[in-house]
Amino acid sequence: MKILQINTSARSTGANSTRLADRIVARLKARHPAAAVELRDLAANPHPVLDEAALTALFTPAGQRTAAQAARVALDDALIAQVQSADVIVLGVPMYNFGVPVQLKTWIDAIAKAGTTFRYTENGPEGLIKGKKVYVALARGGIYRDTPADSQVPYLKAVLGFVGMTDVEFIYAEGLAMGAESTDKGFAAAEAEIAERVG
C-alpha cells in the first residue's frame, strides 16, 4: 500500500488539520505496517496558481511549448502522477472563511486535467482516477458539520468525484476555536471516528 498525505494548511507547523491527517496516517500504518508514506506539504512547497501563463501552457500542444511552458506543465503532471501512484490519499483540510485553503484549490486545479484525470463522453464527464481511498481530515474553529454553512464537504465530494475519487471518508475535528474544553471534545470525537472508520 502507498499512502499519500497532503497537508493543505497555510501553516507548515502547528496546524490542526495536519495533526488530524497525521493521526489518520498513523492509524493506517498501524493497520498496514508495510505501507509506504509520501508527504506533500503545500505550505512548505507551494504549487503555482493557475494563471494565464499556466493556462496558455496547458492549451499549447506539447510539441509547440516553450521550455518554460513545458516546465510549468511538468509541475502539474508530477502532482497527477503522485496521485495516480497512491492507493490511499489523506488530505489535511482546515476551513478558511467557509472555504478550502488556496493551497488545496491550487492542488485541485493542477490534478483536474482533461484527457488525463477526467474526460467528457457522450454520457457526460467520466473521472479517470479510480480505485483510490480518500480520507479528508477537516479541522474547523466552529461547528459546521451537516449545516448550510459547510461548503467544504459538498465541494470536495463534487470535485474529487469528478476526477473519479468517489470512495471518500470525512473525519471532523470541530469547535477548535471555542475554548480548551471544546477543543478536547473536538479532537476526541475525531479520534473516535478514526478508530471506527480508518483502516
Side-chain angles (χ1 to χ4, degrees), residues 7-78:
N7 297 336
T8 74
S9 171
R11 296 186 293 169
S12 285
T13 59
N16 288 323
S17 59
T18 299
R19 172 181 169 181
L20 199 57
D22 287 345
R23 291 294 303 125
I24 292 171
V25 170
R27 170 75 173 179
L28 289 167
K29 282 288 288 179
R31 298 293 296 273
H32 307 277
V37 179
E38 187 171 6
L39 174 65
R40 180 170 289 273
D41 184 335
L42 294 175
N45 296 290
H47 194 77
V49 299
L50 184 63
D51 57 11
E52 185 174 8
L55 282 173
T56 301
L58 288 165
F59 284 99
T60 298
Q64 299 175 28
R65 289 174 183 146
T66 65
Q69 288 175 331
R72 176 62 184 85
V73 173
L75 293 176
D76 287 0
D77 288 344

Side-chain angles (χ1 to χ4, degrees), residues 57-131:
L58 288 165
F59 284 99
T60 298
Q64 299 175 28
R65 289 174 183 146
T66 65
Q69 288 175 331
R72 176 62 184 85
V73 173
L75 293 176
D76 287 0
D77 288 344
L79 293 193
I80 292 169
Q82 192 175 47
V83 171
Q84 290 172 329
S85 69
D87 300 297
V88 180
I89 297 161
V90 179
L91 295 170
V93 183
M95 177 181 274
Y96 293 161
N97 301 315
F98 299 98
V100 300
V102 66
Q103 289 82 5
L104 177 54
K105 181 60 168 63
T106 297
W107 179 81
I108 289 167
D109 288 341
I111 69 161
K113 186 175 182 180
T116 302
T117 60
F118 71 91
R119 65 184 175 188
Y120 289 105
T121 72
E122 293 177 353
N123 299 317
E126 177 189 2
L128 302 176
I129 306 178
K130 298 179 180 178

Side-chain angles (χ1 to χ4, degrees), residues 149-169:
D150 186 358
S151 66
Q152 289 183 311
V153 170
Y155 169 68
L156 290 172
K157 280 183 180 177
V159 74
L160 293 172
F162 184 77
V163 295
M165 294 187 280
T166 56
D167 187 2
V168 183
E169 295 272 2

